[in-house]
């Protein structure tokens, strides 16, 4: 254990003994997400660096405070990438913040989510204990996969110290096709194409236009273009980058922004506001001033859930209320990892 890890563990242990809440602080690029946590700041600034990288094994291990851009530049030098395309939402974005939020980009339904690429992790739990889970190969555990549990936990189960990730080679070629499809037709086509052997790596519909990204070998992309038709977008790469980083004009607003996760084939949802359809229909962004209860109810009827992603009142609940069974499961996990409730209290819910 290095001196910095020991210092962080000592701080958490003392906070647990005093039942004094801690607010985990990284680069701040994801502060808009979730509720506002309580507690004294616990900074991970300086806790950075790539610990190991084995290009032939497709595995990278880095400390949580490592800038995401450093990780991506290191991988790019070997023509490799983080296949889940994590959004940065700011230049200082760190690997730890990305995993803690569980954010994935346009490729998520085709390549996998952030948690699918987590092989192992080292954390400090709410007792101040340094624990390591998983490893650096795909099959490394028997039992509960705790390392992947950290993806999306928002630091409420442990202070993420380092993480091991599976990486993948970059695709040889990419092409973006554009179709003038309204929402209902776009959803039908995305559902149809998802069941076919096509090298689709992203799909999005906005303002009456459906975009499909093809990734892989040039020959396969040419065959897919011939089969699907559409017009090729020479600015396709810029579009997907802007979509990932929420730099499209759609996102430039003060209106509350909701993220709905629903089955991909779900018909257009009857809620007021402006929509953007992503992830082949599975992720739907909605700008609306509708009450939270209305959005949650509509998402539940569709078999999914909704999150107030940005804007609105973050002092209230922003995540879809859990069923009694799921709430109990969350509470049990919180009790096991952070029995004194000192890690990021209030980030998920006002209760803990």
């Amino acid at each position: 254990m290095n001196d910095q890890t020991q210092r962080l563990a000592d701080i958490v242990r003392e906070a647990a003994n005093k039942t004094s809440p801690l607010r985990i602080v990284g680069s701040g690029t994801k502060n808009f997400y979730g509720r506002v946590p309580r507690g004294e700041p616990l900074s991970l600034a300086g806790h950075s660096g790539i610990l190991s990288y084995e290009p032939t094994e497709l595995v990278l291990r880095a400390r949580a405070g490592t800038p995401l851009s450093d990780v991506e530049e290191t991988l790019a030098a070997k023509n490799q990438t983080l296949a889940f395309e994590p959004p940065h939402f700011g230049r200082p974005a760190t690997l730890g913040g990305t995993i803690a939020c569980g954010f994935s980009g346009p490729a998520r339904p085709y390549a996998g989510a952030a948690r699918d690429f987590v092989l192992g992790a080292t954390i400090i739990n709410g007792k101040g204990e340094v624990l390591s889970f998983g490893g650096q190969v795909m099959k490394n555990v028997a039992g509960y996969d705790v390392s992947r549990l950290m993806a999306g936990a928002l630091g409420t189960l442990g202070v993420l110290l380092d993480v091991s990730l599976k990486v993948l080679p970059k695709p040889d070629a990419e092409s973006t096709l554009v179709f003038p499809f309204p929402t209902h037709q776009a959803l039908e086509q995305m559902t149809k194409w998802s069941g076919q052997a096509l090298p689709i790596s992203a799909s999005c519909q906005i303002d009456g236009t459906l975009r499909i990204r093809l990734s892989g070998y040039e020959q396969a992309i040419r065959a897919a273009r011939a089969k699907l038709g559409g017009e090729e977008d020479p600015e396709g790469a810029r579009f997907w980058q802007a979509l990932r980083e929420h730099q499209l004009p759609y996102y430039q607003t003060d209106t509350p922004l909701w993220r709905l996760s629903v089955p991909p084939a779900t018909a257009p949802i009857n809620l007021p506001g402006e929509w953007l359809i992503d992830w082949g229909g599975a992720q739907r962004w909605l700008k609306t001033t509708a009450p939270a209860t209305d959005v949650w109810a509509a998402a539940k009827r569709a078999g999914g859930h909704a999150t107030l992603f940005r804007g609105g009142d973050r002092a209230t609940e922003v995540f879809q209320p859990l069923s009694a069974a799921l709430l109990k499961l969350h509470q049990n996990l919180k009790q096991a990892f952070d029995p004194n409730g000192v890690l990021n209290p209030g980030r998920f819910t006002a209760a803990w």
Side-chain angles (χ1 to χ4, degrees):
M1 185 186 304
N2 62 35
D3 291 343
Q4 192 171 40
T5 298
Q6 184 64 61
R7 180 185 65 83
L8 292 170
D10 290 343
I11 293 173
V12 175
R13 189 178 304 112
E14 182 178 359
N17 291 335
K18 296 180 178 179
T19 320
S20 300
L22 294 172
R23 174 170 51 89
I24 303 171
V25 178
S27 66
T29 59
K30 313 295 189 297
N31 283 349
F32 65 86
Y33 185 63
R35 302 179 72 256
V36 180
R38 305 183 299 274
E40 292 296 315
L42 176 65
S43 175
L44 294 184
H47 190 73
S48 64
I50 295 174
L51 299 173
S52 63
Y53 174 38
E54 300 293 338
T56 57
E57 300 296 327
L58 299 176
V59 173
L60 178 143
R61 178 176 172 232
R63 293 191 176 99
T66 306
L68 194 55
S69 57
D70 287 0
V71 172
E72 291 175 334
E73 289 170 8
T74 298
L75 294 175
K78 296 295 184 179
N79 201 36
Q80 294 179 349
T81 187
L82 296 174
F84 58 97
E85 291 187 298
H88 293 222
F89 297 135
R91 176 68 182 176
T94 62
L95 179 62
T98 297
I99 298 302
C101 290
F103 286 162
S104 304
R108 186 258 183 263
Y110 310 98
R115 67 181 305 276
D116 298 324
F117 291 87
V118 174
L119 302 177
T122 303
I123 69 167
I124 302 172
N125 68 6
K127 302 175 185 178
E129 301 169 332
V130 178
L131 306 174
S132 293
F133 303 98
Q136 298 191 55
V137 295
M138 286 304 292
K139 295 183 178 180
N140 54 50
V141 294
Y144 205 88
D145 194 345
V146 175
S147 56
R148 293 184 178 182
L149 186 64
M150 296 300 122
L154 291 175
T156 60
L157 300 180
V159 181
L160 193 59
L161 294 177
D162 64 65
V163 60
S164 298
L165 294 171
K166 177 180 176 61
V167 302
L168 290 179
K170 284 186 174 181
D172 287 352
E174 287 189 336
S175 176
T176 296
L177 301 179
V178 179
F179 305 84
F181 290 164
T183 301
H184 70 279
Q185 187 177 359
L187 288 170
E188 291 173 359
Q189 289 297 331
M190 286 188 286
T191 300
K192 176 183 176 181
W193 291 336
S194 67
Q196 300 180 9
L198 294 166
I200 296 176
S201 64
S203 53
C204 171
Q205 192 271 357
I206 182 175
D207 295 334
T209 299
L210 170 65
R211 286 178 175 82
I212 298 292
R213 185 178 65 189
L214 306 172
S215 301
Y217 293 111
E218 181 62 45
Q219 184 177 1
I221 290 177
R222 285 200 303 268
R225 283 202 304 258
K227 180 177 182 178
L228 297 177
E231 296 291 330
E232 188 162 7
D233 182 3
E235 298 295 320
R238 291 188 179 182
F239 173 83
W240 299 112
Q241 171 79 8
L243 173 67
R244 186 189 77 175
E245 299 299 334
H246 285 197
Q247 294 171 347
L248 294 175
Y250 172 86
Y251 294 108
Q252 311 309 310
T253 178
D254 293 328
T255 304
L257 177 67
W258 287 83
R259 181 178 66 184
L260 285 75
S261 177
V262 297
T266 300
I269 298 171
N270 185 24
L271 282 170
E274 298 179 55
W275 291 90
L276 184 153
I277 311 297
D278 197 4
W279 291 4
Q283 178 170 257
R284 308 196 184 182
W285 298 99
L286 171 63
K287 295 189 297 187
T288 184
T289 56
T293 51
D294 290 356
V295 181
W296 287 329
K300 185 176 180 179
R301 286 194 298 271
H305 58 85
T307 298
L308 179 57
F309 191 80
R310 184 186 286 116
D313 185 1
R314 294 183 59 218
T316 61
E317 300 298 338
V318 300
F319 295 103
Q320 180 104 20
L322 300 174
S323 67
L326 281 177
L327 178 60
K328 184 62 176 178
L329 178 60
H330 278 240
Q331 290 171 332
N332 289 343
L333 286 170
K334 181 66 172 176
Q335 178 64 27
F337 282 91
D338 183 21
N340 294 310
V342 299
L343 299 178
N344 269 3
R347 190 72 187 264
F348 262 128
T349 176
W352 41 266

